[in-house]
Amino acid sequence: MTGNENIWHTDVSWRQEPALGSVLRLSEVPALGGDTLWCDMGAAYDNLPDEIKERIDGLTAIHDFTSTFGRFLPPDVLEAKQAEFPPAEHPIVRTHPETGRKTLFVNAIFTIRIVGLEEEQSEQLLNYLFSQAHIPEYQIRFRWEPNSVAFWDNRATQHYAVSDYFPNRRVAERVSIAGDRPF
Ligand SMILES: [Fe+2]
């Protein structure tokens, strides 16, 4: 697949303290396309079957940027980045620090394995959990206009930037807000 950010994800979940949220403004918007979707990961958690909730209760997963952003870095820069940001271990179910709501906190870009499971089991379970973000009932889809501003909570959502506007341009400015360690 080509494009940028067109896989469901939570920003910088590979940090020990992932961003609280982001503010994004689009200064140049294609006439058609370039929408952004967000998914409510609290709803995704709430609607999991009980046996899955029991299975993931207390489990943690590893988040790492090496196989995504890391691919584009020269080896020496990659090594320095890996030293600065070693893989992060986060609970699969995190608790929102303000609302207390449980949210499903694994994503298809950065979450690479579940701690304590065999690789095959980890992959199967992760793929199932990733697929919850694909359920339209949990999503909203935002159509940008020039100078639209979106502000999202990275602790409670995942997002997906639709890459359907080539060769038109889509120009964005983003500010990320520092977050805390997931628990
Ligand atoms: Fe993103």
Side-chain angles (χ1 to χ4, degrees), residues 24 26 29 34-36 38 142-146 148-150 170:
L24 189 71
L26 257 65
V29 180
D35 297 352
T36 302
W38 281 268
F142 186 54
R143 168 161 289 184
W144 298 87
E145 291 173 16
S148 293
V149 173
R170 181 181 184 274

Side-chain angles (χ1 to χ4, degrees), residues 84-102:
E84 189 181 357
F85 299 107
E89 183 175 345
H90 296 309
I92 292 179
V93 182
R94 82 178 280 188
T95 303
H96 194 284
E98 288 170 37
T99 65
R101 191 170 186 191
K102 288 182 175 182

Side-chain angles (χ1 to χ4, degrees), residues 10-21 41-43 45-46 48 56-61 63 89-107 153-158 177-183:
T10 307
D11 288 332
V12 296
S13 68
W14 41 270
R15 286 180 179 254
Q16 306 297 325
E17 297 183 342
L20 176 153
M41 299 313 292
Y45 175 77
D46 288 348
L48 288 173
I56 61 178
D57 182 37
L59 289 181
T60 58
H63 298 240
E89 183 175 345
H90 296 309
I92 292 179
V93 182
R94 82 178 280 188
T95 303
H96 194 284
E98 288 170 37
T99 65
R101 191 170 186 191
K102 288 182 175 182
T103 70
L104 188 56
F105 195 66
V106 289
N107 70 85
D153 188 332
N154 199 47
R155 304 164 298 184
T157 60
Q158 290 191 28
I177 302 159
D180 57 0
R181 192 180 177 96
F183 57 87

Side-chain angles (χ1 to χ4, degrees), residues 2-177:
T2 57
N4 287 315
E5 304 241 338
N6 57 339
I7 299 175
W8 282 100
H9 68 284
T10 307
D11 288 332
V12 296
S13 68
W14 41 270
R15 286 180 179 254
Q16 306 297 325
E17 297 183 342
L20 176 153
S22 287
V23 183
L24 189 71
R25 183 175 80 95
L26 257 65
S27 52
E28 198 174 326
V29 180
L32 189 66
D35 297 352
T36 302
L37 284 80
W38 281 268
C39 180
D40 176 349
M41 299 313 292
Y45 175 77
D46 288 348
N47 290 300
L48 288 173
D50 286 342
E51 64 264 30
I52 297 287
K53 285 183 179 163
E54 282 162 26
R55 215 172 140 201
I56 61 178
D57 182 37
L59 289 181
T60 58
I62 303 297
H63 298 240
D64 184 24
F65 66 87
T66 303
S67 63
T68 51
F69 300 158
R71 280 183 304 149
F72 307 110
L73 301 173
D76 55 328
V77 178
L78 175 60
E79 211 170 298
K81 283 275 169 209
Q82 285 171 325
E84 189 181 357
F85 299 107
E89 183 175 345
H90 296 309
I92 292 179
V93 182
R94 82 178 280 188
T95 303
H96 194 284
E98 288 170 37
T99 65
R101 191 170 186 191
K102 288 182 175 182
T103 70
L104 188 56
F105 195 66
V106 289
N107 70 85
I109 295 192
F110 301 125
T111 311
I112 57 170
R113 67 181 170 83
I114 297 175
V115 177
L117 295 192
E118 295 293 331
E119 192 165 338
E120 199 181 323
Q121 284 181 311
S122 166
E123 195 177 320
Q124 271 180 9
L125 184 52
L126 279 178
N127 284 336
Y128 172 76
L129 297 174
F130 296 158
S131 74
Q132 302 309 298
H134 305 164
I135 297 174
E137 280 77 358
Y138 309 153
Q139 299 170 357
I140 59 132
R141 181 169 182 142
F142 186 54
R143 168 161 289 184
W144 298 87
E145 291 173 16
N147 298 315
S148 293
V149 173
F151 179 9
W152 69 89
D153 188 332
N154 199 47
R155 304 164 298 184
T157 60
Q158 290 191 28
H159 56 278
Y160 182 110
V162 183
S163 219
D164 59 354
Y165 50 90
F166 183 83
N168 298 301
R169 273 160 50 96
R170 181 181 184 274
V171 181
E173 294 166 287
R174 186 176 76 171
V175 174
S176 287
I177 302 159

